[in-house]
Amino acid sequence: MITVLAVTFAAAAVAPWIFRKIGRSAFYVLAAVPAASLVWLIAQYGLVYPEGSPSGGFIEESFPWIPELKLEFAFRMDVLSWVMSLLVLGVGTLVLVYCARYFKDKDDYLGGFGAQLLAFAGAMFGLVTADDLLMMFIFWELTTVLSYLLIGYARTRLSARRSALQALVVTTAGGLAMLIGLIILGQSAGTYRMSGILAGADELFAGPAQGAVGAAVVLILAGAVTKSALLPFHFWLPGAMAAPTPVSAYLHAAAMVKAGIYIVARMAPGFSESPAWLPLVLGLGLGTMVLGGYRALRQTDIKLILAYGTVSQLGFLTMVVGLGRPDAALAGLALLLAHGLFKAALFLVVGIIDHQSGTRDIRKLSGVYKSSRALAVVAGLAAASMAGVPPLAGFVAKESVFEAFVHYSSDPASEGWGLVLLIGLVLGSVLTFAYSARFMWGAFASKPGVERTPFKAIRLSFLAAPAILSLLSVAYGLWPVPVDTWIQPYAALFGDSAHDAGAGHLALWHGLTPALGLTAVTFAAGLAMFYWRNAVARAQSRVPDWVDGDRAYQRTIGALDDVAVWVTGRTQRGSLYFYLAVILTVAFAVPLSVLLVSNKPLPGGLYLVDPNSPLQLVAAAGIIAGALAAVRANKRFLAVLMVSVTGYGIALMFALQGAPDLALTQMLVETIILVAFVLAMRSLPAELRDRTGGKYRVVRIIIGAAFGVTMIFVAIYAMGARVADPVSLAFPQLAYEGGGGLNVVNVTLVDIRAWDTFGEISVLAVAATGVASLIFIRSRGERIHRAATMPEGTVGRRTAVGNDSKEHASLHVARRFAGKAGDPWLVAGRTLAPERRSIIFEVVTRLIFHSMIIFSVYLLLAGHNLPGGGFAGGLVAGLALTVRYLAGGRFELREAAPISAGMLLGTGLALAALTGLVPLFLGGQVFQSAIIQFWLPVFGDIKFVTSTLFDIGVYLVVVGLALDVLRSLGAEIDEHFEEAAAPEGAGQEDAGQEEAGQEPDGAGQEEAAQEQAALATGSERENA
């Protein structure tokens, strides 16, 4: 089963490429995947139906995924799954073959459509075979998402987008309710295996959790009701007819809408005795059956006739499979297979009519029977099966349904409701017969006063799929024995009781029975309704639509939109003060309320200052002074600098408490953040206007003070509430024995909690991408690449090529100023304005840059046993690049790091991910470290831990982030300032001179004169 799923999704992934190569014929290739899966399914028949086993056998496959959450890849193929898979894979194969003739090569998005349709087949197969509740829910939601994409295939049409969104909202809402129910059921049962839960269902209802189990059943049924379009959520299915006809034939006749029926059938053996089960299943099912049939008679679009007919049949199916009796179980699965055959065939016929005539309106269709008798025969067989006409599959199944409900109505346990249900079933069947006749008349009959509809000839390959489905309906009706054999083991799960009549058998002729009499009544009343169809239509037109599901949905969505606009307008006011006030008020009000209500005494052993570290007073004084100064500052730079003072004070606190790693990291982070803020503030006004003013100043002071005081007491109570030994006490031993390192902090980051660190560096990469996307117009590496490939000899500040050429030209001038010996150090220093240059800073940079880089590598490699690590090392390297940028400007930064920041970020993430995946291929766990010991000459014994490679990935990500910040907030803003300050026309003038092979005037000549003077001075010094 897992292999079938893997192959299906893999084929879906490559489907767009196949379509690009061979066009619409790729549908044949895709159809081979469910066809091969169908062959595999038939080959498992002997295991699912072993001889001598009345309830059948099963096949199981399971692999653990997240044991702590009881989540596993668990699949089980039993009788119900086998029957459902037969329908999903068989109809899926025929629909994909049909698509090869339905679509044209010039149709847009065929590759994506084919991939989604095949993936939907895989998702449905996974849904009906999943034994784990959470895994089943994953496939359940996957079908929801894929149906949204398939319904919205015609993305340029508003109706398609609206219908797709409507289906998504309704079915997702039910799916969320279902998820809650599944979790409650799994937790109550102590297992998430559906097979185990059903086996112990009696104990669940008899145990203390029976109330929770009852609620879980109702929530799960809510998901089934929305998925199978039952009242009051029936409206989304007719709206989904905006999808291409093959989608309607597969999703809305044979597969997706059957998911809810499958859930009811799966849970019925164990939970049909639940108090809320029968009222929900029978009540909603009967109401949906009658309403769907009534609405089908009002439609003039043959596709909508089938759509409302599907709604009616889904209600019919829900009633039968949910009754919880062996005869109803047999009839329910028989009807499910019959419905999948005739309804899929009819939808495909509708697609042919629409494709060949260009209309689906029964008021315009006329004489189609004369144009294509073969198509009319195929449609007639399917429609007759839907109406329950012998000797077709629909008749065999409906006879069994009538028989089951006749027995139920005579059972005293039904308390009289059995007769009501039986009358409702007959009424719904009458409507089914009537709209089946209406469909055939509207699609194929010659209508007086209506011109014959032009109709193109139909290729046999186009007609093949519906023809096969109709012929299967005939074969099923004439010889129902194989279907009866498939279904009997499922019916046996409902064990006979005193009031059960047994499962019975499927047969074309049961004799003169009450069920046969009800069928005759159905035919007579259905024919009468069709014969007097005009009178029925007039009567229906007089009945107002008191309740319309689609209208109610639209009004609900509109009301939600209005509320959202109202709430947004009053909360998203564009005021930072307001946002902070709301956040901080909630953050202190809720914990403070809990503390006051609990009225717990303060824990003992409190002290204001650690007596072993009196220097904490100095650090605390610095933190308080920095915070107060930041509040009182009227300049942005001063405010940011004072905030950094508080950060450095906290770093000192860490150092005094014996946490050098935290102190080092805190200090480096504060420094790099200070640089980033200073660079960004160049684009902002220097003054902080209304920094401390405003009429709500006192309120802000109260909120800030209350938040700070509350957090102090929350921390005190949290530390005093511990009753067990902290897990961190075991970290030193875990770090040394499992991680092979003495630095507990670093080993925790790269080994014990490597998942957390991987998530953090992923966030860093996303943050760097966000910063760059706000500043850069083009990609991060585009300018570097263009500058590196510019032809030599391009000189000048501006060219007609653009900014990239300008950067390269300025960098070329900077290199000429570096000296004739080719010394690459601080090559761009002289490109800075004189007021920005500092010779002392340049000399200091020359002395410390390489030392900082070497120190960063030392921190990286030594961090496993000593303070440091990839994060600290990357920050030091980032600070080294910062110093280089401040000394020489943006061209110097380009020279110091001629590599894309995105490349560093991607390489670091890839390396970290690779260190997590490699252990899996070697039989280990994700992010498991290996300790490798070896001997090298000179170095002696070496102990290498593979988590060092993960730390190198962290190092690269941090360096990439620092480089991205410098280029975004530094170099890019520098360029914007230069472009704003440059006089108009300077670029064109310089470009013309460069094209003529001349030096630019003005600044270029001045720089050339300065160069000659510098060279002359150097020669004089050498001679002296």
Side-chain angles (χ1 to χ4, degrees), residues 933-992:
Q933 296 183 342
F934 54 92
W935 181 88
L936 285 178
V938 180
F939 296 97
D941 293 327
I942 302 295
K943 183 176 74 171
F944 176 76
V945 185
T946 55
S947 59
T948 304
L949 299 175
F950 181 87
D951 220 7
I952 294 174
V954 175
Y955 178 90
L956 294 176
V957 169
V958 175
V959 174
L961 173 65
L963 186 58
D964 221 2
V965 169
L966 289 174
R967 285 185 177 152
S968 301
L969 302 179
E972 189 71 9
I973 294 179
D974 287 343
E975 184 178 346
H976 291 171
F977 286 159
E978 293 172 9
E979 291 175 351
E984 295 183 7
Q988 297 178 357
E989 182 179 352
D990 293 347

Side-chain angles (χ1 to χ4, degrees), residues 197-342:
I197 293 173
L198 291 175
D202 294 338
E203 289 77 7
L204 284 175
F205 281 115
Q210 56 181 334
V213 173
V217 170
V218 173
L219 291 171
I220 294 172
L221 286 178
V225 166
T226 55
K227 199 78 159 183
S228 290
L230 268 62
L231 282 173
F233 307 104
H234 62 287
F235 56 87
W236 75 260
L237 181 57
M241 293 301 111
T245 300
V247 174
S248 302
Y250 191 39
L251 275 67
H252 307 134
M256 176 185 171
V257 292
K258 294 295 196 305
I261 307 300
Y262 166 76
I263 291 297
V264 174
R266 174 61 72 190
M267 296 186 64
F271 298 97
S272 59
E273 300 295 330
S274 175
W277 180 276
L278 287 181
L280 284 174
V281 169
L282 298 180
L284 294 180
L286 181 59
T288 304
M289 182 183 184
V290 174
L291 178 65
Y294 171 81
R295 295 295 297 271
L297 289 176
R298 302 185 64 173
Q299 306 306 312
T300 57
D301 185 329
I302 55 175
K303 194 174 182 181
L304 285 179
I305 293 175
L306 295 181
Y308 280 101
T310 300
V311 170
S312 176
Q313 294 288 306
L314 290 172
F316 192 13
L317 282 166
T318 303
M319 290 179 62
V320 183
V321 300
L323 188 59
R325 300 164 65 98
D327 51 355
L330 179 76
L333 288 196
L335 183 61
L336 184 143
L337 286 175
H339 177 267
L341 294 176
F342 63 67

